[in-house]
Amino acid sequence: MSTQQRVAIVTGGSRGIGRQVAEQLAADGFAVVVGYAGNKDAAEEVVRGIEAGGGSATAVRADVGDEAEVAALFDLAETTYGGVDAVVHAAGRMLLSPVAELDLDELDALCRTNIRGTFVVDQQAARRLRPGGALVNFSSSVVGLAFPTYGAYAASKGAVEAMTLILARELRGRDVTVNVVAPGPTATDLFLDGKDEETIARLAAQPPLERLGTPRDIASVVSFLVGPGGRWVNGQVLRANGGIV
């Protein structure tokens, strides 16, 4: 591991799990580029918090489905900090609907963010990550749990898992790890939105640990994967869900 400043790009870094990951990696010593889609104020708040703690960060707007904007995001990371050592692609969209009732325009929008967006970010990561680097994509434990109404979302995350595991093999010889973190029910605004207390309690009771995950739980897994302790973990899907099967 080099003694030079390590640099991380975190997409979806303005809220939820992505925000916690950005803050955790800054605490680990990374300079962090906080990618966001539209909430500039929230992204800049993350940057201010990191800087107040003695870290280095900058916020950059980029639509993950737009290859030019994502390339510009990576360009900025390289020109500002000198290179890229970790890419954590936490940006995503959730859509819940029975398959029979799903609006196909909404399906297209979901796939643009979750599938195309992952492909676009991963392309740049594959081209630019320095030796010793790490790429972490996000899936979801619903791929295996098969909850009703999650058909479109789970299908998009299944695609993420497939492309990630293939990319890990395509980067043979580069000294770059490529993995997927697949959280279970996690207490974020995105997850809690629209759910009543009974539903939340039922989901919290599912894992043997009998609670919802937290963004910090997931950020700790990412911290391990992109740090020196995770160098021998490659081409894996880590289901961080408290033991739900």
Side-chain angles (χ1 to χ4, degrees):
M1 304 292 286
S2 172
T3 58
Q4 70 186 354
Q5 171 76 73
R6 305 202 79 214
V7 182
I9 293 173
V10 181
T11 67
S14 65
R15 62 176 184 157
I17 291 172
R19 175 174 184 155
Q20 189 69 58
V21 168
E23 293 170 347
Q24 178 63 60
L25 296 189
D28 293 344
F30 284 83
V32 182
V33 177
V34 179
Y36 68 96
N39 197 332
K40 180 180 180 181
D41 290 344
E44 291 182 345
E45 181 182 343
V46 176
V47 170
R48 287 194 298 271
I50 290 172
E51 291 177 339
S56 180
T58 187
V60 181
R61 186 195 173 282
D63 171 4
V64 296
D66 185 311
E67 60 270 35
E69 292 187 13
V70 172
L73 171 66
F74 277 77
D75 288 344
L76 184 139
E78 291 177 338
T79 57
T80 303
Y81 298 114
V84 180
D85 302 287
V87 175
V88 181
H89 179 46
R93 181 191 296 258
M94 181 181 287
L95 167 64
L96 303 183
S97 170
V99 170
E101 301 171 14
L102 180 64
D103 183 303
L104 295 182
D105 288 338
E106 293 184 356
L107 175 65
D108 290 343
L110 176 82
C111 290
R112 185 181 189 280
T113 297
N114 291 2
I115 300 178
R116 178 187 171 89
T118 300
F119 207 101
V120 170
V121 171
D122 284 11
Q123 274 192 331
Q124 292 297 321
R127 295 168 182 170
R128 306 209 203 192
L129 276 165
R130 294 189 285 208
L135 168 62
V136 178
N137 288 323
F138 270 85
S139 178
S140 170
S141 287
V142 298
V143 172
L145 297 172
F147 292 153
T149 75
Y150 280 82
Y153 180 70
S156 73
K157 292 303 186 178
V160 169
E161 292 187 9
M163 75 174 78
T164 304
L165 301 188
I166 290 169
L167 182 57
R169 287 148 180 81
E170 290 179 347
L171 294 187
R172 173 182 290 274
R174 286 277 307 280
D175 190 25
V176 169
T177 63
V178 186
N179 293 289
V180 183
V181 175
T186 304
T188 64
D189 291 342
L190 180 66
F191 172 78
L192 296 173
D193 183 43
K195 294 182 174 68
D196 58 32
E197 291 186 7
E198 180 181 353
T199 299
I200 293 169
R202 175 173 52 79
L203 292 169
Q206 286 187 323
L209 298 179
E210 296 186 326
R211 66 172 175 86
L212 294 177
T214 68
R216 186 176 297 277
D217 291 325
I218 308 307
S220 295
V221 175
V222 174
S223 174
F224 165 72
L225 288 174
V226 305
R231 295 306 302 166
W232 196 233
V233 181
N234 188 34
Q236 303 299 316
V237 179
L238 278 71
R239 304 213 179 278
N241 61 23
I244 301 175
V245 293

